[in-house]
Amino acid sequence: MDEDTLEFLKEHEEKIGSKILWKTYATFYGEINGNKREYGVFLYTDGINLYYEDFYRPPMLLGIPLRKRKSADYTKMEGLIPIEEIESITLVTQSSAIKSLRDCKDKSKKANPFDRALRKLFSRIETNRGRIYFMEIIEPKKFADMVFSYKKEINNGSIQGV
């Protein structure tokens, strides 16, 4: 990792008050009745919470920024999902996730083998509080395995809240 990346991670560890144990990137993020980001979200965890945040991306044409200043309509999004609240992570079709976000009601369709082979898939994350998130995660199986591994450690008392 380069120095800028290490500094970025160090700042985030200071912000959350603990070590980042796992990180990835979601190229799409959406929450029913909430935010939606089609250009990417940084995801990371300290083993207790799954943190997410986006970054401003100026409008571009052929990879060249069209504006130097931040757009007035951009609002930074950041938050967290307590891992112990995550009930399920399911692969669903992109089209059903987009429909769910548009209609503000879960209409997601679990991916079947055909979908897995030929369609774009999102991870559907549901919490025990009824919140539903959709993310396009680079390695969805590793992501789900990580979440449930930390959830098991929390339930066993191996990891305790900060």
Side-chain angles (χ1 to χ4, degrees), residues 10-157:
K10 182 180 173 190
E11 287 173 13
H12 279 69
E13 288 177 341
E14 289 172 5
K15 182 170 132 180
I16 65 173
S18 59
K19 192 120 181 93
I20 293 175
L21 303 176
W22 196 87
K23 59 194 173 307
T24 194
Y25 190 75
T27 54
F28 178 93
Y29 169 93
E31 179 184 350
I32 291 184
N33 297 324
N35 290 308
K36 179 175 143 186
R37 296 294 191 267
E38 296 183 45
Y39 48 80
V41 173
F42 178 55
L43 297 169
Y44 57 100
T45 186
D46 59 359
I48 302 294
N49 296 303
L50 178 64
Y51 299 90
Y52 55 88
E53 74 176 89
D54 73 339
F55 302 93
Y56 174 71
R57 271 187 36 180
M60 295 189 161
L61 180 63
L62 301 173
I64 301 167
L66 297 177
R67 287 183 251 167
K68 297 271 185 204
R69 295 182 310 221
K70 284 190 178 180
S71 172
D73 60 349
Y74 170 75
T75 304
K76 182 162 182 66
M77 179 194 71
E78 57 187 330
L80 64 89
I81 305 167
I83 287 177
E84 65 185 340
E85 291 182 7
I86 296 174
E87 289 294 314
S88 65
I89 300 174
T90 311
L91 283 177
V92 299
T93 61
Q94 175 193 23
S95 58
S96 69
I98 299 295
K99 185 181 227 180
S100 298
L101 295 171
R102 184 192 66 222
D103 296 347
C104 296
K105 183 176 182 181
D106 186 23
K107 296 181 174 183
S108 60
K109 177 186 158 222
K110 187 174 179 177
N112 61 38
F114 177 80
D115 296 326
R116 290 172 190 260
L118 299 174
R119 295 200 170 128
K120 198 170 195 177
L121 303 177
F122 286 1
S123 293
R124 177 189 177 276
I125 302 161
E126 183 171 10
T127 71
N128 59 12
R129 294 179 181 246
R131 296 190 79 151
I132 297 174
Y133 305 84
F134 295 100
M135 297 184 205
E136 183 180 19
I137 297 171
I138 296 167
E139 295 181 287
K141 177 153 180 21
K142 282 186 180 180
F143 171 74
D145 290 347
M146 175 276 304
V147 166
F148 290 111
S149 172
Y150 285 127
K151 184 173 179 168
K152 184 177 178 183
E153 288 184 41
I154 291 167
N155 291 337
N156 290 339

